[in-house]
Amino acid sequence: MLIVTLCMGLLYFTANKTMNSMMQESERSHMESMLKGQAGLVEEYVMHQEDLLSAYSKSQSVKALLKDTENKEKFNAAQDYTVKYYEGLENWEGLYIGEWNTHVIAHSNPKVIGVVTREGEGLKALQDEMTSRNGLYDAGIIASPASGKLILSMYCPVFDNDGKTILGYVGGGPFVEGLETLLDELKSEGDTAGYYMINVETGTYIFADDKSLIATEMHDEMLINIMDEIKKGQSTGEVVYQGTDEKYIAAYDYIDEHGWAVVSL
């Protein structure tokens, strides 16, 4: 009888251990799948926004105004085009045309026309970034000086018809709350898995379940460990962290082009 009891106990222990292992593997697989979906969505979203600004920069009315900035007729055409193009965009903060010295000459918000957005070292840094890329410069996700909200800040030089001579540039970008909404929609009903999106270069939160953390400096030990692993060259992986009652696993994927990481847990 004792032997039977011991055998039954061993079977139960083995089955229970196997079941727990299977559940953990299933949870890990789900987390990794969620992570890949989130990272892919971020890259697709950014690429789409960049394409919209790039297409705007190629308009002949934009080029015409930059070649003849004092021409009222060309200003009206470019301003009208800017406003109509902006109205077709979804959840963008603004859209504008600037001379190479960042003097704004057309804007979706007419009140901003005439403003110079950069001077000194800031101006040279922006010009160098656009020149070195010979095309669109994505400055990443920043807190907008105008609204305080997070935006994807983008700039694109406007070339003359020879494809080489820079006439000026266009700038603008969407509020990133639209991206956050898309990421939330990836979750299935009843899914309790959480995620963060962090800026590895600045050590700040881009998205977090706790909205008060957004755009602030990270102090979470788990996220700092992930940031350290990324800086060591580990662009994707897992870290173990201690929760309130037990240990958990967080998976991450680094989007090198933008310096951001998506973290699923």
Side-chain angles (χ1 to χ4, degrees):
M1 185 66 180
L2 178 60
I3 295 175
V4 172
T5 302
L6 288 173
C7 289
M8 291 294 291
L10 180 60
L11 285 171
Y12 173 80
F13 174 79
T14 303
N16 190 53
K17 186 177 180 180
T18 301
M19 183 63 70
N20 287 336
S21 177
M22 290 174 63
M23 289 176 64
Q24 288 175 0
E25 189 60 37
S26 176
E27 289 173 1
R28 180 172 292 180
S29 177
H30 172 70
M31 184 168 58
E32 291 177 353
S33 177
M34 174 75 76
L35 187 67
K36 290 183 183 300
Q38 289 168 336
L41 181 58
V42 169
E43 294 192 84
E44 183 180 332
Y45 174 86
V46 172
M47 188 181 300
H48 176 61
Q49 307 305 324
E50 290 176 345
D51 287 346
L52 290 172
L53 186 65
S54 181
Y56 169 67
S57 74
K58 293 177 172 59
S59 167
Q60 288 303 317
S61 64
V62 173
K63 294 180 183 181
L65 176 60
L66 284 168
K67 293 171 77 169
D68 190 3
T69 58
E70 300 300 319
N71 188 303
K72 187 66 175 178
E73 184 177 337
K74 291 178 181 178
F75 163 74
N76 288 335
Q79 176 64 14
D80 183 59
Y81 176 72
T82 298
V83 171
K84 288 181 178 177
Y85 195 96
Y86 172 75
E87 289 174 348
L89 300 173
E90 186 174 349
N91 205 28
W92 276 49
E93 181 182 52
L95 183 69
Y96 66 94
I97 304 169
E99 295 182 86
W100 194 235
N101 65 355
T102 72
H103 175 239
V104 178
I105 56 176
H107 200 291
S108 53
N109 178 2
K111 294 180 181 178
V112 183
I113 295 173
V115 170
V116 175
T117 64
R118 299 281 186 98
E119 294 180 323
E121 293 183 3
L123 169 61
K124 184 178 185 307
L126 176 61
Q127 291 172 335
D128 288 348
E129 289 287 1
M130 286 192 284
T131 303
S132 65
R133 286 167 171 74
N134 198 37
L136 190 142
Y137 165 47
D138 182 346
I141 294 174
I142 65 168
S144 166
S147 65
K149 294 183 177 181
L150 291 180
I151 62 168
L152 179 62
S153 182
M154 301 181 294
Y155 308 87
C156 186
V158 177
F159 295 95
D160 203 348
N161 292 330
D162 62 5
K164 297 178 181 179
T165 305
I166 296 178
L167 303 172
Y169 78 105
V170 298
F175 293 112
V176 296
E177 59 191 23
L179 173 58
E180 185 177 19
T181 298
L182 291 173
L183 288 170
D184 286 339
E185 288 175 353
L186 275 182
K187 292 184 178 182
S188 57
E189 189 174 349
D191 193 346
T192 58
Y195 73 90
Y196 292 98
M197 188 166 155
I198 61 175
N199 188 321
V200 176
E201 295 176 354
T202 62
T204 56
Y205 293 93
I206 297 174
F207 299 136
D209 290 333
D210 181 352
K211 306 300 181 186
S212 68
L213 295 174
I214 293 175
T216 65
E217 184 180 353
M218 291 187 308
H219 296 288
D220 185 286
E221 184 178 350
M222 177 267 292
L223 294 175
I224 291 173
N225 287 341
I226 287 175
M227 195 164 59
D228 289 342
E229 289 299 310
I230 291 170
K231 290 180 178 180
K232 291 175 185 175
Q234 192 68 36
S235 61
T236 185
E238 299 176 347
V239 296
V240 178
Y241 67 99
Q242 181 66 50
T244 306
D245 301 315
E246 57 184 303
K247 290 184 178 180
Y248 296 90
I249 293 176
Y252 66 90
D253 196 354
Y254 181 52
I255 305 172
D256 180 67
E257 183 180 355
H258 304 293
W260 310 332
V262 180
V263 182
S264 184
L265 47 107

